[in-house]
Amino acid sequence: MKRKFASLFAGFVMLAAMVFALSAGITPAKAETTYQIGTDVTFPPFEFANKHDKYVGIDIELLKAIAKDQGFKVNIKPTSFNGAVQAVQSGQLDGMIAGMSITKEREATFDFSKPYFTSGVVMAVTPNSKTTSLKDLRGKKVAVKTGTSGADYAKSIQKKYGFHIVTFDESNDMYQDVITGNSAACFEDSPVMRYAVRQGTKLKIVTKPVENGPYGFAVKKGHNQKLLRMFNKGLADMKANGEYARITRKYLGAKGSSDTSSDRTFWGLIKQNRSALLGGFEETVWLTIVAIFFATVFGVIVGLLGVVPNKFFNGLSTTLIYIFRGLPLLVLALFIYTGIPSLTNQKIPAFVAGTITLMFNEGAYIAAFVKGGINAVNIGQMEAARSLGLPFGKAMRRVILPQGIRIMIPSFINQFIITLKDTSILSIIGILELTQTGKIIIARNLEGFKVWTIIAVIYLVVITLLTWLSNWVQRRVRL
Amino acid sequence: MTAKVKVTNLVKTFGNNEVLKGINLEVQNNEVVVVIGPSGSGKSTLLRTLNKLEAPTSGDIIIDGMNIADPKTDINKVRENIGMVFQHFNLFNNLSVSENIMLAPVELKKEDKQAAAEHAKRLLKTVGLESKFDATVQSLSGGQQQRVAIARALAMDPDVMLFDEPTSALDPEMVGDVLAVMKNLAKQGMTMIVVTHEMGFAKEVADRVVFVDDGNIQEQGTPDEMFNHPKNPRLQDFLDKVLNV
């Protein structure tokens, strides 16, 4: 009997191996010269997705031009500013270009290129606001975006002017907080703020740019020095041949590209972003299916380990459920995506990290109700089966599980729906699913309310379909 | 002649509670032993240790020459030869009547389905339920369920049958049918150990009656000795309570 549990355990180990093998499959060995570069999702005009869902902006075009000049390839990953910082530090990414100011603090953990852009922080308020200078901020709230030089600047003068700081992850959320009046003002790099105003954001700039650290391309300290040298050489070339001037003029010039003219009705927004939304939808569905599969396998195995007559496996099951049900999904996702690589020096693609996250988290819930479902079957059923001479495994399979599964089915359906919704949390590690797609679209057109409405409706439609499918399956297996 | 079942110094404790305090019992082939005693006396626990649904704390239980208290003994093999009938029937709710009976022979003896089905039909006939072959468990009355449970236990052709208060959960009018099946079984020479409160059954069918109280066998003997000439004051007290209602 012991051997059976051992093979069950071996199965679990194999499953883990499969997940990692899958990760290897998704990232085929790339040529040496392709670098993974992180950037922000929302930092126009330095990086943003245009209406064709292509990433553009000063950072993107400059990096691509330099790569071409120096003969290396880049794969640009819009995670988020914070996400990119962590991913570079953990080795998930080789470098980042995200309007990143060169500061003393950052130089402790990053090596920076020569500065490629000099910016300055400005303060923006609503058009008819009475707040027009830093002095007016006393006792009020100021919105900033995590990790930006605007945030650093706000912190440095906070004591002097006596205001409170509210932090956001996305530029649009920061702007909205000022527009709705929650915060009195926001601090942001001047070109970014100017671009947002030109895009129709109902804010005005009321201060002169305050010089802050110039922008630099960053790699992890002591790593990827060759990439850094190539960037510097390429940057010099771009400045010499006029390409640098062309790119910056394109985005900062008086008649830069603007999106305000396009159709801003619901239908118009759907049409413009059709391919992006479809892509996000597909990624969400795909992620849900893969996650449900692995979470079910993991959950059923861990749940069964909880009911076999073996103290060690019971303890293992309880511990796994305790840990993975106890961790917030967001923390688990960041831990797996950025924490594990820094321990093992092994990159994990975001999709695989996301799948593993969901497998553990949703799987823990599944394990808990699998255990509960089995325990809910009257103990007399097991005793009767065993008294006939059926071994534990056979009794389980032929008598207990068929009854337990019927008890578990409503919980399974519930968990599948929760899994679908939980995929949205994985936008934090940059997976381009529906929620992340929404963030990116909003970063470009700043139509938060309408785009989130569209995204919400898409989720509801998928969940309705999933519920129908589940109910159909439930009817088929009923006695 | 060696005993079919031989229990020596059997002790069973649950936590600090010593339920069986050193039981010695022998059951011969073809013998019908009825175990009586007040609630909580340990009689059900005694029965459940005989097929190791409860593992003994100490002592030996030898059935057909195999010591089931020994961890090296393959308990599943021993159980195949011991049928057990429960107070609450415990029919498999996910299976039909015939599937309940056929499960163990098909899974363990690798009987083919056809033969197992024939066997199941014969067994259902002996318990008077041949018409319920395809019925669901839920459609049966308590008495019918218990008779199917007996048929299920017999399907493995056991040479000992354990009955754990088989009529206690039944409506009074169902009790007779179940007892009739058990009497029939006894007549055919089945070795039976029956825990019951049916004193009439004990008087009529038992070869030997065993009185258990406070975790020990207080007295045992033929039905005549036990019911008509009880010596132990506890037994006298017990009989007084159950017979003079």
Side-chain angles (χ1 to χ4, degrees):
Chain A
M1 199 137 82
K2 277 256 165 59
R3 242 182 309 133
K4 274 227 172 104
F5 306 134
S7 69
L8 204 64
F9 189 66
F12 172 62
V13 172
M14 255 170 60
L15 173 78
M18 256 165 64
V19 173
F20 282 100
L22 184 73
S23 83
I26 284 176
T27 42
K30 290 209 170 92
E32 285 271 309
T33 46
T34 301
Y35 292 100
Q36 310 292 325
I37 307 296
T39 189
D40 201 345
V41 266
T42 321
F43 204 59
F46 291 93
E47 46 263 342
F48 59 100
N50 67 11
K51 59 183 156 193
H52 307 297
D53 208 31
K54 281 245 166 63
Y55 258 80
V56 293
I58 296 174
D59 284 350
I60 310 291
E61 286 200 29
L62 188 61
L63 181 63
K64 280 188 176 158
I66 288 171
K68 201 172 165 198
D69 181 65
Q70 294 293 311
F72 62 90
K73 282 186 183 147
V74 288
N75 184 9
I76 296 175
K77 300 203 158 171
T79 51
S80 69
F81 187 87
N82 255 345
V85 167
Q86 290 175 41
V88 170
Q89 283 306 324
S90 65
Q92 286 273 47
L93 297 173
D94 297 306
M96 64 182 287
I97 185 162
M100 189 179 187
S101 303
I102 303 170
T103 62
K104 275 253 153 54
E105 218 175 8
R106 285 176 179 156
E107 277 178 324
T109 49
F110 286 98
D111 283 330
F112 283 97
S113 68
K114 296 215 169 77
Y116 67 88
F117 192 88
T118 304
S119 174
V121 175
V122 293
M123 179 172 105
V125 297
T126 49
N128 42 13
S129 168
K130 290 195 180 90
T131 311
T132 51
S133 74
L134 294 173
K135 280 180 200 132
D136 299 328
L137 288 174
R138 187 161 296 279
K140 291 179 179 159
K141 281 193 270 187
V142 167
V144 297
K145 185 176 157 184
T146 329
T148 59
S149 51
D152 291 344
Y153 176 68
K155 223 177 268 169
S156 71
I157 59 167
Q158 182 182 17
K159 276 234 174 77
K160 188 176 169 197
Y161 294 101
F163 53 80
H164 308 286
I165 294 176
V166 194
T167 311
F168 293 90
D169 264 352
E170 301 292 334
S171 297
N172 184 57
D173 297 338
M174 169 178 78
Y175 302 147
Q176 286 305 320
D177 203 55
V178 179
I179 291 167
T180 55
N182 286 332
S183 292
C186 62
F187 289 137
E188 182 57 285
D189 280 340
S190 146
V192 179
M193 202 63 243
R194 286 213 308 267
Y195 181 86
V197 171
R198 209 171 54 196
Q199 285 297 306
T201 304
K202 295 192 174 50
L203 294 174
K204 67 173 179 191
I205 297 167
V206 290
T207 60
K208 288 238 165 60
V210 179
E211 280 282 320
N212 58 326
Y215 291 172
F217 170 78
V219 296
K220 186 179 179 182
K221 199 167 182 66
H223 293 71
N224 284 309
Q225 298 299 311
K226 188 179 163 211
L227 174 61
L228 203 58
R229 279 196 298 279
M230 288 194 289
F231 185 93
N232 283 334
K233 261 181 79 187
L235 180 62
D237 288 352
M238 293 304 107
K239 282 190 169 163
N241 68 16
E243 182 68 7
Y244 177 88
R246 191 193 66 77
I247 292 172
T248 48
R249 210 180 321 117
K250 180 173 162 192
Y251 289 99
L252 297 175
K255 54 177 184 66
S257 66
S258 168
D259 207 13
T260 43
S261 56
S262 60
D263 185 358
R264 290 302 175 90
T265 61
F266 275 107
W267 187 237
L269 285 170
I270 292 172
K271 270 203 298 205
Q272 285 154 36
N273 298 296
R274 205 175 132 255
S275 70
L277 288 169
L278 263 177
F281 167 80
E282 266 172 36
E283 190 76 356
T284 289
V285 170
W286 183 225
L287 193 57
T288 306
I289 291 171
V290 175
I292 283 178
F293 174 77
F294 282 109
T296 304
V297 173
F298 175 77
V300 169
I301 290 174
V302 173
L304 288 177
L305 288 181
V307 294
V308 297
N310 177 306
K311 290 237 161 57
F312 171 75
F313 286 129
N314 296 163
L316 181 70
S317 168
T318 309
T319 312
L320 287 173
I321 292 173
Y322 171 75
I323 292 174
F324 291 116
R325 203 168 55 168
L327 285 178
L329 193 52
L330 189 62
V331 174
L332 187 61
L334 289 172
F335 175 75
I336 288 173
Y337 184 61
T338 67
I340 301 232
S342 32
L343 292 175
T344 61
N345 267 330
Q346 198 75 40
K347 292 181 194 181
I348 306 178
F351 187 89
V352 175
T355 309
I356 296 174
T357 305
L358 289 174
M359 173 179 98
F360 283 142
N361 182 278
E362 315 294 340
Y365 284 97
I366 290 175
F369 67 66
V370 164
K371 223 162 114 173
I374 290 170
N375 288 334
V377 176
N378 190 321
I379 177 117
Q381 297 283 311
M382 180 53 108
E383 287 186 346
R386 296 305 304 274
S387 77
L388 287 168
L390 290 169
F392 179 84
K394 270 194 177 130
M396 207 45 154
R397 213 172 55 243
R398 298 300 310 273
V399 177
I400 309 301
L401 281 181
Q403 298 182 53
I405 285 169
R406 218 159 279 134
I407 299 172
M408 296 168 206
I409 281 176
S411 306
F412 266 113
I413 293 173
N414 208 19
Q415 200 60 39
F416 292 164
I417 289 170
I418 291 172
T419 305
L420 170 62
K421 291 190 291 181
D422 280 353
T423 57
S424 68
I425 291 177
L426 300 177
S427 62
I428 190 74
I429 56 174
I431 295 177
L432 253 181
E433 43 66 71
L434 208 43
T435 302
Q436 182 76 343
T437 305
K439 283 188 196 171
I440 290 170
I441 294 171
I442 293 166
R444 178 176 68 247
N445 63 21
L446 302 168
E447 290 282 357
F449 172 71
K450 283 178 188 164
V451 174
W452 285 129
T453 306
I454 293 167
I455 300 280
V457 169
I458 296 176
Y459 273 114
L460 279 178
V461 168
V462 183
I463 281 167
T464 308
L465 293 176
L466 186 63
T467 311
W468 282 348
L469 178 71
S470 304
N471 288 342
W472 181 77
V473 171
Q474 190 176 7
R475 273 201 304 277
R476 296 296 300 255
V477 300
R478 193 172 293 158
L479 245 186
Chain B
M1 186 168 103
T2 54
K4 190 87 192 158
V5 177
K6 185 169 191 223
V7 177
T8 318
N9 288 326
L10 174 63
V11 175
K12 174 67 188 177
T13 57
F14 292 101
N16 291 327
N17 184 16
E18 195 173 42
V19 179
L20 301 179
K21 303 175 176 174
I23 299 251
N24 292 292
L25 178 70
E26 280 190 25
V27 179
Q28 306 303 325
N29 213 359
N30 304 340
E31 195 180 11
V32 176
V33 172
V34 172
V35 182
I36 59 172
S39 302
S41 59
K43 56 191 191 306
S44 272
T45 306
L46 169 62
L47 196 74
R48 288 163 59 83
T49 53
L50 297 183
N51 67 351
K52 219 181 178 182
L53 284 183
E54 306 291 352
T57 307
S58 68
D60 290 317
I61 299 165
I62 294 162
I63 294 181
D64 275 337
M66 285 184 284
N67 186 355
I68 65 169
D70 182 348
K72 287 196 288 274
T73 305
D74 181 358
I75 187 63
N76 292 326
K77 271 276 164 261
V78 181
R79 280 173 178 159
E80 287 183 16
N81 294 318
I82 309 173
M84 181 150 186
V85 176
F86 299 84
Q87 181 178 355
H88 295 287
F89 336 130
N90 296 344
L91 290 183
F92 305 135
N93 294 318
N94 57 315
L95 302 177
S96 72
V97 166
S98 57
E99 287 166 339
N100 261 276
I101 299 171
M102 289 156 62
L103 176 67
V106 171
E107 285 282 336
L108 301 173
K109 288 192 170 167
K110 307 293 168 203
E111 245 176 61
D112 77 32
K113 285 244 166 91
Q114 194 83 43
E118 289 303 321
H119 191 190
K121 265 182 202 148
R122 282 199 304 278
L123 288 167
L124 279 175
K125 202 166 177 194
T126 62
V127 299
L129 291 171
E130 58 268 55
S131 64
K132 300 290 185 185
F133 188 81
D134 289 317
T136 63
V137 169
Q138 290 77 11
S139 69
L140 302 184
S141 72
Q144 291 171 329
Q145 288 197 37
Q146 193 61 300
R147 283 185 279 155
V148 172
I150 294 171
R152 177 178 69 180
L154 291 172
M156 290 297 286
D157 293 324
D159 38 38
V160 181
M161 285 284 286
L162 309 177
F163 291 85
D164 187 4
E165 303 197 25
T167 56
S168 299
L170 295 178
D171 290 338
E173 76 270 23
M174 307 276 184
V175 172
D177 290 342
V178 172
L179 290 181
V181 169
M182 291 168 64
K183 274 178 210 165
N184 217 344
L185 210 49
K187 235 179 266 167
Q188 289 161 23
M190 176 63 76
T191 309
M192 294 164 65
I193 304 174
V194 184
V195 170
T196 187
H197 291 294
E198 295 293 334
M199 296 303 148
F201 177 82
K203 278 180 194 165
E204 186 187 337
V205 183
D207 296 311
R208 183 153 48 110
V209 176
V210 172
F211 174 64
V212 175
D213 193 14
D214 195 27
N216 273 311
I217 294 179
Q218 306 284 352
E219 187 170 344
Q220 52 181 309
T222 63
D224 178 55
E225 289 166 352
M226 295 292 281
F227 289 107
N228 300 330
H229 314 286
K231 296 182 196 78
N232 188 302
R234 289 190 193 215
L235 175 58
Q236 290 164 356
D237 186 46
F238 173 73
L239 290 174
D240 203 36
K241 278 181 188 150
V242 294
L243 293 178
N244 303 319
V245 233

